[in-house]
Amino acid sequence: QPRQIFMHRIIEFIKPFITALIIIGLLQVTGLFGEVAALTQQAALSSGLMNASIPDKDKNLQDFDFGFTMKDSLGNRFNAEQFKGKVIFLNLWATWCGPCRAEMPAIHKLYNKVNDDRIAFIMLSIDKDQAAQKVKSYVRRNNYTFPVYMPSGYLTEQLNVPSIPTTFVISKDGKIVMKEVGTKNYNTDKFRNFLNELAAK
């Protein structure tokens, strides 16, 4: 009798953990885990606690390496050097990355508000080449209109980042003025003013 009571208590104790594991497993198998994670992080983004920070002015800025090529959804190739002379908002992301998907709606809103030819958006998907159709479908499904690219060949060492999303802002003179790792909200007046001020220099 005491043994049965003890076992019953153990089962009752671990039941919630087993249920949670089953739910997580199902989400992983169905591919919905990333969607749930993205929705959770989108809620956190709206709180304002994850707003992108504006960097302090620094005279010793690193040069950005433009030595790589990208391709768009139609397969057209672009050398990164053609963006020289513009302020560049470059976001490294992937369709399988929940945190990347979480910040994208805000980036798209920022893109729609920034109407300046001196500012270029490069949404650079690091999905494998075989997933090109998946990238196109994802962008189309979400009605994103910002420019989306994939690497055409190798990326530079600067862009071989350990985690995504990672976002760079490059000045018109080719300096990395900001690098943010992780999910951030870039759709703020402060950040938009930051981009506009860089473009006006």
Side-chain angles (χ1 to χ4, degrees):
Q1 187 75 15
R3 182 183 174 86
Q4 287 179 335
I5 293 171
F6 176 74
M7 289 303 294
H8 177 74
R9 285 179 179 170
I10 290 290
I11 290 167
E12 287 300 312
F13 177 76
I14 64 172
K15 198 183 287 182
F17 297 101
I18 293 171
T19 304
L21 286 171
I22 290 170
I23 291 170
I24 290 169
L26 286 170
L27 289 172
Q28 290 277 22
V29 168
T30 58
L32 292 174
F33 187 78
E35 296 292 336
V36 173
L39 289 171
T40 304
Q41 287 182 311
Q42 278 178 24
L45 283 172
S46 64
S47 70
L49 295 172
M50 299 172 76
N51 286 352
S53 56
I54 305 303
D56 295 327
K57 290 179 174 62
D58 187 347
K59 291 182 180 178
N60 300 313
L61 298 173
Q62 186 182 2
D63 288 327
F64 182 70
D65 186 351
F66 287 88
F68 63 99
T69 307
M70 304 168 289
K71 59 189 174 185
D72 65 14
S73 60
L74 298 174
N76 300 313
R77 283 171 168 73
F78 299 84
N79 192 300
E81 288 194 356
Q82 77 177 64
F83 294 98
K84 277 185 175 179
K86 292 178 181 280
V87 173
I88 302 169
F89 178 96
L90 189 157
N91 178 267
L92 292 159
W93 68 284
T95 55
W96 45 261
C97 167
C100 302
R101 295 201 301 269
E103 69 177 5
M104 275 202 167
I107 293 175
H108 192 241
K109 287 176 184 175
L110 171 71
Y111 171 75
N112 285 331
K113 289 175 184 175
V114 173
N115 187 19
D116 193 324
D117 291 338
R118 297 170 298 178
I119 302 172
F121 280 71
I122 298 176
M123 302 298 293
L124 188 57
S125 163
I126 60 168
D127 285 87
K128 292 180 180 177
D129 269 351
Q130 305 93 294
Q133 191 57 50
K134 187 178 179 182
V135 173
K136 282 192 266 188
S137 298
Y138 173 77
V139 172
R140 188 170 57 247
R141 189 168 65 248
N142 288 281
N143 298 310
Y144 291 143
T145 55
F146 42 45
V148 175
Y149 304 94
M150 294 181 75
S152 178
Y154 293 104
L155 289 175
T156 59
E157 188 177 337
Q158 281 176 342
L159 298 183
N160 281 315
V161 294
S163 65
I164 55 171
T166 294
T167 300
F168 294 84
V169 174
I170 298 110
S171 64
K172 291 195 289 186
D173 59 352
K175 302 289 186 183
I176 298 173
V177 293
M178 191 206 81
K179 179 182 177 182
E180 284 273 19
V181 179
T183 308
K184 301 291 179 184
N185 175 26
Y186 298 98
N187 184 37
T188 65
D189 291 340
K190 195 174 180 181
F191 189 80
R192 193 164 64 254
N193 290 338
F194 165 62
L195 290 181
N196 289 331
E197 284 170 14
L198 286 173
K201 285 182 180 177

